[in-house]
Amino acid sequence: MAKGMQIKLQYEVYTDPDTGAEITRLTPPEVTCHRNYFYQKCFTNDGNRLLFAGAFDGNWNYYLLDIGKAVATQLTEGTGDNTFGGFLSPDDQFLYYVKNERTLLQVNLDTLAEREVYRVPEEWVGYGTWVANSDCTKLVGIEIAKSDWVPLNDWKIFHDFFHKGPHCRLLRVDLATGESAVIHEEKIWLGHPIYRPFNDKTVAFCHEGPHDLVDARMWMVNEDGSNVRKVKEHAPGESCTHEFWVPNGSALVYVSYLKGKQGRTIFSYNPDTGANVALMQMPACSHLMSNFDGTLMVGDGSGTPVDVKDTSGYTIENDPYLYVFDVAKKACFRVARHDTSWDTFENSRQVTHPHPSFTPDDKAVLFSSDKDGKPALYIAKLPQQREYLPA
């Protein structure tokens, strides 16, 4: 198959047995399909089209789904697409993604013409999720020295890579000119660079690796490379994970959990005051994402984390639900079962993860799951009858 090819999808609509929510499976369970990373834009502004990844011809490529027509148009072709890091531009004109860990490409959604924006130097490898500023004029990304790089296909390699102390650099790229500049550089595994929304002066990033081994996961740096500072000093037995900016830029939100405890805590960090505030308790969710102003959040219940060294110390019961958290009420309700396996699949540590986020109208949740076969995309409408669970 090639760019421009169209696929007619057959949706399956069913009712969640536990919550009564209406669930639509968008993609066929015999074809590996998944959503992009949870804080990357995937819906057009009107909510009518959805960016996703599919392996309809054996390669994992990007598609744009007209939700009303159930027709997916192929946007990219060939091997090597980073199908987790791609995102739609704020004006819905372009897809940006990295191919073969080497080239940052822009795809015109109308013509499907591709433009090479930036090429990673030969002695480096483009790693992870690259994230644009709010105006989509530039982005931040991570490059890892080619001499240190190994494909991170499973969790054992993930653990081993942390101990290597790879040479990493955080850079910014001008999306019009392709010019780049290094913001920060260390012999420490760096990941998850994210511009603060509507404030290009501040960039968040993390020290990647097993959560119980990293010195402090979340860090910030000014765009000019000055004022590197940690977001939080970890308490004894504490791990932090899956940080994201509230889309209006008001706070950095993250998940905190303690050794030997089932539940977790949602924290908010104010970058202007440096204050960390515990917003509310939550069940054992892995990923977390908010609506635009942070009044609602959605999380995916999980089991014992695989990204820690001491798995026996962090053993928890598996939780198969998607939850929505009302921050003002300090309460949550179950949306639906995701029932994903969390397994590594086809050399990917991420493809079976739900990575939930809200639809643009906040009335439903998009997620991935392999509960019906291979990973597929689902949309769950928020249930009409909501049983709120106290924090």
Side-chain angles (χ1 to χ4, degrees), residues 186-223:
E186 286 189 83
K187 285 281 291 182
I188 294 175
W189 188 5
L190 305 179
H192 291 274
I194 327 172
Y195 268 113
R196 182 181 181 183
F198 307 106
N199 183 336
D200 295 352
K201 294 181 180 179
T202 303
V203 177
F205 66 97
C206 81
H207 285 183
E208 188 60 276
H211 297 156
D212 53 343
L213 295 183
V214 296
D215 53 345
R217 176 177 170 88
M218 299 159 300
W219 296 75
M220 289 193 181
V221 61
N222 293 350
E223 190 189 36

Side-chain angles (χ1 to χ4, degrees), residues 292-317:
F292 181 77
D293 61 5
T295 54
L296 295 176
M297 300 186 189
V298 59
D300 47 7
S302 63
T304 301
V306 292
D307 42 6
V308 295
K309 176 178 174 58
D310 181 15
T311 53
S312 63
Y314 290 88
T315 299
I316 56 175
E317 296 179 12

Side-chain angles (χ1 to χ4, degrees), residues 21-82:
E22 180 183 296
I23 316 295
T24 301
R25 192 185 70 224
L26 302 175
T27 58
E30 67 273 12
V31 178
T32 300
C33 296
H34 68 87
R35 60 154 307 162
N36 61 351
Y37 208 53
F38 62 94
Y39 52 62
Q40 297 283 65
K41 182 182 175 182
C42 58
F43 285 98
T44 53
N45 296 323
D46 58 12
N48 293 334
R49 294 184 294 168
L50 171 64
L51 178 72
F52 75 99
F56 291 95
D57 68 352
N59 296 316
W60 290 16
N61 294 128
Y62 280 103
Y63 292 79
L64 190 65
L65 172 63
D66 184 313
I67 297 174
K69 296 179 180 178
V71 173
T73 301
Q74 186 172 346
L75 303 179
T76 65
E77 61 188 8
T79 61
D81 291 6
N82 180 337

Side-chain angles (χ1 to χ4, degrees), residues 137-215:
T137 56
K138 50 192 171 182
L139 57 69
V140 283
I142 299 292
E143 293 178 340
I144 299 179
K146 190 175 181 179
S147 57
D148 289 334
W149 172 250
V150 292
L152 300 166
N153 295 334
D154 62 38
W155 290 108
K156 182 182 185 305
I157 298 173
F158 174 90
H159 285 250
D160 293 344
F161 197 65
F162 165 77
H163 293 287
K164 177 182 285 190
H167 186 184
C168 297
R169 62 185 189 181
L170 165 63
L171 73 156
R172 70 174 185 270
V173 177
D174 186 300
L175 292 177
T177 66
E179 294 180 359
S180 67
V182 175
I183 297 174
H184 181 65
E185 192 166 358
E186 286 189 83
K187 285 281 291 182
I188 294 175
W189 188 5
L190 305 179
H192 291 274
I194 327 172
Y195 268 113
R196 182 181 181 183
F198 307 106
N199 183 336
D200 295 352
K201 294 181 180 179
T202 303
V203 177
F205 66 97
C206 81
H207 285 183
E208 188 60 276
H211 297 156
D212 53 343
L213 295 183
V214 296
D215 53 345

Side-chain angles (χ1 to χ4, degrees), residues 19 101 110 133 170 194 211 240 307 358 369:
T19 68
E101 297 154 347
D110 291 328
N133 64 344
L170 165 63
I194 327 172
H211 297 156
C240 299
D307 42 6
F358 291 102
S369 173

Side-chain angles (χ1 to χ4, degrees), residues 287-341:
H287 308 90
L288 192 68
M289 186 59 200
S290 76
N291 62 352
F292 181 77
D293 61 5
T295 54
L296 295 176
M297 300 186 189
V298 59
D300 47 7
S302 63
T304 301
V306 292
D307 42 6
V308 295
K309 176 178 174 58
D310 181 15
T311 53
S312 63
Y314 290 88
T315 299
I316 56 175
E317 296 179 12
N318 186 59
D319 188 325
Y321 292 98
L322 298 170
Y323 293 89
V324 162
F325 302 93
D326 187 312
V327 176
K329 293 181 178 179
K330 296 189 182 299
C332 66
F333 60 87
R334 290 170 173 165
V335 177
R337 300 181 68 95
H338 63 71
D339 283 325
T340 200
S341 70

